[in-house]
């Protein structure tokens, strides 16, 4: 990839002022290690894994509070044991910043003014809620479930839960009740914290009835803590459940943190629930502290002076990642609303209003702005924005260029690959590396990332399976309801024993830059040539007549293979032979004849998970004959009503495999 594809370079001053540069200076003076750049540092961080993580521990001052017996007692996967002997509480580390009047949180809704919560106020409120939880006899080993939007109370409740040593889990109130119950029932929570509603796209949604349904479906809940956001009416309740209004919990109290071991469970995150029962992924206090110190600090360059916003809900792992900003003393910004309200510049407008310096977004938001020909720099300003974190799915090359043309020519666009599984990044940007169209600059520090062929041979410059060959501190402790670890093992280690297979199709180039081409289990395979779906989307989604698209490659029971392209058309557009021909020509010309789909079909919608990922694998299974009810949990996907349409379509196209 040539110089012409470079969109941005950090200035020498920007490199010098970065957290990465400070860490390199610290390594030189305290450890005697000199590294010329990020790439040299990455090689050392994976070759000398235990020395690297010991350095992270000391650099971030954890040695001042605690010690450990070893960095990595067992290096196997699964089953790695990190920092045995250490005691570490996530909430305590998040609240370690001086208790001053600077804002720790800024909360904002679609129409309201931003409300600041100081570090002192946050600490006091967490102390009060944690004390009340202890009074309610909620403690280590108990689960606290939250049905909350992205509001201040959600952050306080998470930190209070962690402070008492209980285990947090959450779903956003836009999730359907069957989907929420499919998650919460697995952990048998003793307390439920629920909001009365939320606002999205200018509409108010009352969720008190849904909260009552949750109580009916969760017989283990003893306490309901209610958070009033939108209503003044009464709450329906269940006999045997004590109800506590949130304001009643806010008594003066001293903060007290449970003394928990490094691998004490912190929270349960959930898989999308599109391939059966959602997987409950258990992470530990210590692993998350270490990973988010490293990832946000040395990777994303988040600092105490930053205001950090992620456009997300409480159901997406990036919400938990956002909370990690507190570990760095940064002010985190919580937006409860739609990023496209009242128009596609809504998210940018919120960033400008709240003085955001680091903004996290899903790829879909950037591509929506490009498709709408939005010009946020002209419309909004974005005077303080220095960095954009983009994740969720692959970003089309044209959207990269749109960011530099219409958001800011000076912004640092950080494309990040990671996941709920590790609640962090596997690959991302580096403060001394340029931004190039379509490329993630490098693997994350401490992540032994590689691309492997089906036989387990490393690949360079060719697509292969994304694997991680050494353990990471934030790999799951276990899955919920998986006592023998079989489900955990099958999810990551069945393909390459002892090596983490992430499930993404990836190309690692000579310079260690990375291109992610979509999920490897939804990879297109034409006559032995494997292709990522993102390549096709990058071409098709540029058509103004098309608002969304989905390409599927499905192996059929008779040995055939079918690869249809589904397109959602703009208003008043018909899928005629002319438009089909233009699509085929573009794909054939810009990609290859092998990328040309067998058929192009107008679809009513493209179903997605509630965090915005296209349902490639579930739709593939439907086309192969699996019933829609078996591939997606009720309430876990958007446009759920279209799944039967895809099933009917599958019965039609299955007879014409290529």
């Amino acid at each position: 990839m040539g110089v012409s594809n470079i969109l941005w370079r950090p200035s020498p001053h920007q490199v010098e002022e970065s957290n990465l540069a400070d860490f390199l200076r610290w390594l030189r003076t305290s450890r005697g290690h000199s590294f010329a750049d990020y790439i040299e540092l990455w090689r050392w961080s994976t070759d000398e894994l235990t020395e690297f993580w010991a350095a992270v521990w000391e650099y971030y001052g954890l040695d001042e509070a605690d010690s450990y017996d070893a960095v990595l007692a067992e290096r196997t996967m699964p089953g790695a044991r990190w920092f045995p002997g250490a005691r570490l509480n996530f909430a305590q580390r998040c609240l370690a910043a001086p208790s001053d009047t600077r804002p720790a949180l800024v909360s904002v809704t679609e129409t309201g003014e931003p409300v600041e919560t100081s570090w002192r106020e946050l600490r006091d409120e967490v102390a009060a809620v944690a004390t009340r939880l202890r009074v309610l006899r909620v403690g280590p080993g108990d689960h606290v479930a939250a049905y909350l939007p992205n509001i201040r109370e959600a952050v306080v409740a998470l930190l209070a839960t962690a402070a008492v040593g209980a285990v947090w889990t959450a779903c956003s109130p836009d999730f359907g009740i069957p989907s929420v119950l499919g998650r919460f029932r697995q952990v048998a929570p003793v307390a439920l914290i629920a909001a009365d509603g939320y606002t999205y796209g200018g509409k108010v949604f009352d969720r008190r009835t849904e909260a009552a349904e949750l109580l009916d479906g969760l017989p283990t809940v003893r306490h309901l803590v209610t958070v009033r956001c939108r209503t003044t009416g009464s709450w329906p309740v269940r006999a045997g459940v004590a109800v506590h209004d949130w304001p009643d919990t806010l008594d003066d109290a001293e903060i007290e943190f449970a003394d928990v071991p490094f691998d004490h469970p912190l929270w349960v995150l959930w898989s999308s629930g599109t391939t059966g029962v959602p997987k409950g992924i258990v992470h530990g206090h210590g692993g998350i502290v270490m990973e988010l110190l490293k990832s946000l600090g040395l990777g994303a360059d988040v600092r105490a002076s930053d205001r950090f916003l992620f456009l997300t809900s409480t159901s997406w792992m990036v919400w938990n990642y956002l909370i990690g900003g507190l570990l760095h003393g940064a002010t985190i910004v919580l937006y409860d609303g739609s990023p496209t309200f009242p128009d596609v510049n809504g998210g940018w407008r919120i960033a400008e209003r709240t003085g955001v310096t680091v903004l996290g977004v899903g790829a879909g938001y950037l591509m929506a702005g490009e498709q709408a020909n939005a010009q946020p720099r002209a419309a909004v300003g974005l005077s303080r924005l220095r960095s954009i974190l983009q994740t969720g799915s692959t970003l089309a090359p044209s959207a990269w260029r749109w960011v530099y043309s219409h958001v800011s020519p000076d912004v640092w666009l950080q494309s990040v690959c990671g996941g709920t599984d590790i609640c962090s990044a596997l690959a991302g940007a580096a403060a001394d590396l340029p931004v190039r169209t379509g490329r993630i600059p490098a693997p994350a520090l401490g992540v032994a990332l590689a691309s492997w062929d089906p036989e387990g041979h490393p690949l360079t410059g060719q697509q292969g399976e994304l694997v991680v060959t050494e353990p990471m501190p934030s790999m799951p402790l276990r899955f919920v309801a998986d006592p023998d670890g079989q489900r955990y093992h099958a999810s990551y280690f069945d393909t390459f024993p002892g090596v983490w297979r992430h499930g993404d199709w990836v190309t690692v180039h000579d310079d260690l830059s990375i291109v992610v081409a979509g999920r490897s289990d939804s990879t297109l395979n034409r006559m032995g040539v494997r292709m990522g779906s993102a390549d096709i989307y990058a071409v098709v989604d540029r058509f103004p007549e098309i608002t969304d698209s989905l390409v599927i490659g499905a192996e059929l029971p008779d040995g055939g293979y079918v690869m249809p392209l589904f397109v959602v058309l703009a208003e008043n557009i018909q899928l005629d032979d002319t438009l089909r021909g233009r699509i085929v020509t573009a794909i054939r010309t810009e990609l290859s004849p092998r990328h040309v789909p067998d058929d192009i079909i107008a679809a009513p919608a493209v179903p997605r998970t509630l965090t915005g990922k296209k349902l490639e694998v579930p739709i593939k299974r439907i086309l192969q004959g699996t019933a829609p009810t078996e591939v997606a949990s009720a309430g876990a996907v958007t446009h759920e009503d279209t799944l039967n349409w895809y099933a009917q379509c599958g019965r039609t196209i299955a007879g014409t495999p290529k």
Side-chain angles (χ1 to χ4, degrees):
M1 182 170 287
V3 174
S4 61
N5 288 286
I6 293 179
L7 298 168
W8 177 87
R9 284 186 185 277
S11 69
H13 175 74
Q14 287 171 320
V15 173
E16 184 68 15
E17 293 298 310
S18 69
N19 294 334
L20 175 66
D22 187 72
F23 183 59
L24 289 170
R25 288 190 292 268
W26 180 86
L27 285 172
R28 188 164 52 249
T29 57
S30 67
R31 300 294 177 93
H33 293 309
S34 293
F35 302 105
D37 54 21
Y38 180 90
I39 298 301
E40 280 194 13
L41 176 63
W42 175 79
R43 294 191 189 282
W44 173 77
S45 76
T46 53
D47 291 342
E48 304 296 337
L49 195 66
T50 57
E51 191 176 357
F52 167 71
W53 285 108
V56 172
W57 179 282
E58 185 178 345
Y59 178 73
Y60 281 106
L62 299 183
D63 58 320
E64 299 171 6
D66 210 340
S67 61
Y68 51 84
D69 299 331
V71 174
L72 185 55
E74 295 181 27
R75 202 161 177 161
T76 58
M77 290 191 292
R81 291 181 58 237
W82 289 93
F83 294 96
R87 317 287 294 186
L88 199 62
N89 188 294
F90 174 78
Q92 186 171 17
R93 298 309 309 176
C94 283
L95 296 172
S99 296
D100 58 18
T101 56
R102 288 190 310 116
L105 312 177
V106 177
S107 308
V108 62
T109 62
E110 289 181 344
T111 57
E113 290 299 313
V115 177
E116 295 185 352
T117 301
S118 72
W119 282 96
R120 180 178 295 116
E121 290 168 335
L122 176 61
R123 188 178 179 90
D124 289 347
E125 193 163 347
V126 171
V129 175
T131 298
R132 181 54 57 95
L133 288 175
R134 287 190 173 98
V135 169
L136 300 179
R137 298 186 177 181
V138 177
D142 291 325
H143 287 77
V144 175
Y147 192 55
L148 294 171
N150 186 14
I151 56 178
R152 184 191 84 253
E153 289 85 350
V155 178
V156 172
L158 163 59
L159 295 178
T161 299
V164 304
V167 186
W168 169 266
T169 193
C171 281
S172 173
D174 60 339
F175 267 49
I177 295 304
S179 181
V180 179
L181 288 175
R183 290 159 169 77
F184 288 176
R185 277 177 179 155
Q186 295 185 53
V187 297
V190 300
L192 175 67
I193 305 174
D196 58 356
Y198 66 98
T199 300
Y200 195 88
K203 298 179 180 179
V204 177
F205 298 87
D206 188 332
R207 304 300 277 178
R208 287 173 296 166
T209 299
E210 285 74 11
E213 291 182 48
L214 286 180
L215 285 179
D216 290 339
L218 297 170
T220 56
V221 170
R222 305 192 306 263
H223 300 281
L224 170 66
V225 180
T226 61
V227 178
R228 293 192 179 275
C229 301
R230 306 287 175 247
T231 67
T232 58
S234 61
W235 281 74
V237 297
R238 190 192 80 214
V241 176
V243 180
H244 316 269
D245 282 344
W246 181 269
D248 293 342
T249 67
L250 304 185
D251 305 319
D252 291 336
E254 291 296 320
I255 193 73
E256 181 182 344
F257 301 101
D259 182 31
V260 297
F262 188 91
D263 59 356
H264 187 80
L266 168 62
W267 56 48
V268 178
L269 302 184
W270 301 96
S271 66
S272 61
T274 57
T275 57
V277 177
K279 296 188 291 286
I281 301 168
V282 184
H283 292 125
H285 280 248
I288 289 298
V289 168
M290 293 296 291
E291 186 60 45
L292 297 191
L293 283 173
K294 181 267 300 184
S295 182
L296 286 169
L298 304 181
D301 199 43
V302 172
R303 312 168 191 173
S305 57
D306 278 318
R307 289 198 169 197
F308 178 26
L309 163 66
F310 226 115
L311 298 176
T312 182
S313 76
T314 54
S315 293
W316 192 10
M317 55 78 42
V318 295
W319 184 81
N320 303 70
Y321 194 69
L322 169 67
I323 307 309
L326 299 175
L327 294 169
H328 299 272
T331 298
I332 62 173
V333 180
L334 310 170
Y335 175 50
D336 177 25
S338 167
T340 57
F341 179 85
D343 54 47
V344 76
N345 283 330
W348 304 112
R349 195 172 290 110
I350 291 295
E352 177 66 13
R353 285 177 59 198
T354 56
V356 165
T357 56
V358 180
L359 173 64
V361 298
Y365 184 61
L366 299 181
M367 290 190 283
E370 182 206 8
Q371 284 199 337
N373 196 28
Q375 301 186 29
R377 180 177 49 165
V380 175
L382 301 171
S383 57
R384 285 161 286 192
L385 185 65
R386 72 178 180 90
S387 183
I388 298 172
L389 290 172
Q390 171 270 315
T391 190
S393 58
T394 302
L395 186 65
S398 57
W400 291 70
R401 293 187 287 270
W402 173 83
V403 167
Y404 283 93
S405 297
H406 297 296
V407 177
S408 171
D410 302 316
V411 76
W412 180 23
L413 177 58
Q414 304 186 50
S415 186
V416 177
C417 164
T420 303
D421 323 74
I422 57 164
C423 196
S424 187
L426 294 171
D432 62 354
L433 294 177
V435 175
R436 294 187 292 170
T437 307
R439 296 279 184 101
I440 298 175
L445 293 175
V447 180
L449 182 151
S451 172
W452 280 12
D453 71 12
E455 285 71 45
H457 302 132
L459 298 171
T460 300
Q462 301 178 57
Q463 283 189 345
E465 291 277 3
L466 192 164
V467 299
V468 180
T469 61
E470 295 282 1
M472 296 170 55
S474 67
M475 285 176 174
L477 298 176
R478 59 182 178 273
F479 284 176
V480 171
D482 184 30
D484 58 4
Q486 286 191 4
R487 197 177 185 202
Y488 181 18
H489 189 279
S491 295
Y492 309 113
F493 302 105
D494 264 3
T495 303
F496 305 113
V499 171
W500 175 287
R501 171 186 170 272
H502 194 63
D504 280 337
W505 199 243
V506 66
T507 303
V508 179
H509 292 276
D510 286 328
D511 61 358
L512 294 182
S513 65
I514 293 163
V515 176
V516 179
R519 295 292 294 173
S520 57
D521 47 10
S522 62
T523 299
L524 309 173
N525 189 337
R526 268 286 184 71
M527 294 171 285
V529 177
R530 298 189 178 191
M531 305 170 291
S533 57
D535 296 328
I536 293 180
Y537 299 143
V539 174
V540 174
D541 290 352
R542 290 206 306 268
F543 281 74
E545 298 94 338
I546 296 172
T547 62
D548 209 350
S549 61
L550 179 72
V551 64
I552 302 294
E555 301 82 4
L556 300 176
D558 64 359
Y561 186 85
V562 63
M563 194 176 101
L565 170 66
F566 299 97
V567 294
V568 181
L569 300 170
E571 190 174 359
N572 299 321
I573 297 296
Q574 298 294 319
L575 182 60
D576 55 20
D577 289 343
T578 300
L579 180 55
R580 280 193 175 92
R582 289 172 53 215
I583 295 171
V584 167
T585 298
I587 293 173
R588 185 185 299 274
T589 302
E590 298 184 41
L591 298 175
S592 77
R594 289 191 178 91
H595 286 75
V596 173
D598 297 326
D599 198 0
I600 303 174
I601 303 166
V606 172
R608 282 176 159 80
T609 68
L610 295 184
T611 56
K613 293 186 178 180
K614 299 181 184 185
L615 263 67
E616 293 179 335
V617 176
I619 297 300
K620 173 179 178 175
R621 294 180 62 203
I622 287 174
L623 297 185
Q624 291 170 325
T626 304
T629 54
E630 295 182 27
V631 304
S633 302
V637 302
T638 65
H639 303 296
E640 189 176 329
D641 56 325
T642 65
L643 297 183
N644 286 327
W645 180 90
Y646 281 95
Q648 179 61 45
C649 191
R651 287 189 285 271
T652 300
I653 66 176
T656 58
K658 303 294 183 184

